[in-house]
Amino acid sequence: MGAGGLVGGTVLVTGASRGLGREAARWLAERGFTVIAGTRAPALIPGTDVLALDVADEASVRAAVAHVKARHGRLDALVNNAAIQIDGTDGVLDLPLETLRRTLETNTLAPLRMAQAFAPLMGKGGRIVNVSSGGGQLSTPAAWAPAYCISKTALNAVTVQLSEGLKPKGIAVNAVCPGWVRTDMGGAEAPRSLEEGAASILWPILEAGPDVTGGFWRDGKRIEW
Ligand SMILES: NC(=O)c1ccc[n+]([C@@H]2O[C@H](COP(=O)([O-])OP(=O)(O)OC[C@H]3O[C@@H](n4cnc5c(N)ncnc54)[C@H](OP(=O)(O)O)[C@@H]3O)[C@@H](O)[C@H]2O)c1
């Protein structure tokens, strides 16, 4: 644990049913954090308070806020991890706009909705982590999964806006890339393990100081937007 990282507290991880979200929730619980694991379908994630949460559904998010307020009173960190990748093989010229609309709903608008909903439960020193992707980097144009990549570029913009908007409250907001990881989304041929991906996601919570905000990070190193 580095200087400035949280050493305990209550953390909500979205999309904790499988993949990187589940690994991040497990990792935090093992280190003594109180972990609220947001999942769409009922699941058992040892050591966590499992919470029904569909981030794309406003009523579900409202109910989750009420639950966290009643049961935990406050939130120290939010990990906006849930996402979908529903691009087929279409390039951007054939991209059905409905695919983009659905992807933006989950990958971009939902993290914003979650931040708006949960920031009032967070105080000075709080952290919001938006799990983005190298595919969203404008500096390195991606020629795959256009809806997904556009949604992550937009998520990066949301991150910068939230970082500015939450500075007065002392809440740090950062985007992270986990690298290409072996999950349902990443596929079996991905080079990175769940542990490596989760470490990259959790760096702004476990290692970074409270003043580190408004950046895009992989493995604790700043990357280009
Ligand atoms: N794997 C990679 O190589 C890679 C690379 C760069 C970035 N990322 C990012 O890392 C994050 C995690 O990816 P992953 O590889 O672990 O993906 P994954 O294995 O496909 O898991 C996605 C998770 O998101 C949840 N989810 C999707 N829509 C949701 C919704 N509306 N409400 C609540 N939960 C929802 C899924 O829940 P259900 O089980 O209910 O479907 C699942 O738990 C994502 O933000 C992804 O974009 C991954």
Side-chain angles (χ1 to χ4, degrees):
M1 196 128 345
L6 298 184
V7 291
T10 302
V11 184
L12 168 57
V13 181
T14 70
S17 63
R18 55 197 167 92
L20 285 161
R22 189 182 174 95
E23 178 66 11
R26 191 189 64 78
W27 182 305
L28 287 164
E30 262 181 29
R31 281 156 183 76
F33 285 81
T34 299
V35 179
I36 305 160
T39 65
R40 280 198 285 203
L44 182 66
I45 303 168
T48 73
D49 171 18
V50 178
L51 171 66
L53 175 58
D54 180 341
V55 295
D57 177 24
E58 208 166 313
S60 176
V61 172
R62 268 203 306 273
V65 171
H67 170 93
V68 172
K69 206 171 183 172
R71 177 119 179 217
H72 302 279
R74 58 177 283 117
L75 193 65
D76 297 293
L78 165 66
V79 182
N80 277 319
N81 164 80
I84 55 172
Q85 208 275 67
I86 55 170
D87 286 272
T89 52
D90 291 333
V92 69
L93 295 178
D94 302 308
L95 171 64
L97 293 189
E98 187 50 28
T99 301
L100 177 57
R101 207 171 274 123
R102 281 176 55 205
T103 305
L104 288 169
E105 191 62 59
T106 298
N107 295 7
T108 310
L109 300 190
L112 175 56
R113 174 187 292 123
M114 288 291 295
Q116 290 171 336
F118 281 94
L121 297 190
M122 301 174 78
K124 192 169 161 57
R127 320 280 165 104
I128 296 176
V129 179
N130 290 330
V131 182
S132 185
S133 166
Q137 284 177 293
L138 289 172
S139 51
T140 315
W144 50 277
Y148 177 79
C149 291
I150 290 168
S151 75
K152 294 297 190 180
T153 302
L155 177 62
N156 288 349
V158 165
T159 302
V160 171
Q161 287 290 320
L162 283 172
S163 169
E164 289 303 312
L166 287 169
K167 266 183 192 165
K169 281 196 74 181
I171 298 171
V173 188
N174 289 284
V176 293
C177 171
W180 185 18
V181 180
R182 290 184 295 277
T183 63
D184 293 341
M185 188 185 289
E189 71 282 14
R192 304 194 101 197
S193 67
L194 279 176
E195 290 78 3
E196 289 169 303
S200 190
I201 288 173
L202 294 177
W203 178 83
I205 294 173
L206 298 178
E207 304 286 344
D211 298 333
V212 175
T213 188
F216 190 15
W217 310 89
R218 185 188 291 126
D219 298 333
K221 294 181 187 68
R222 197 181 280 279
I223 59 174
E224 297 277 304
W225 292 111

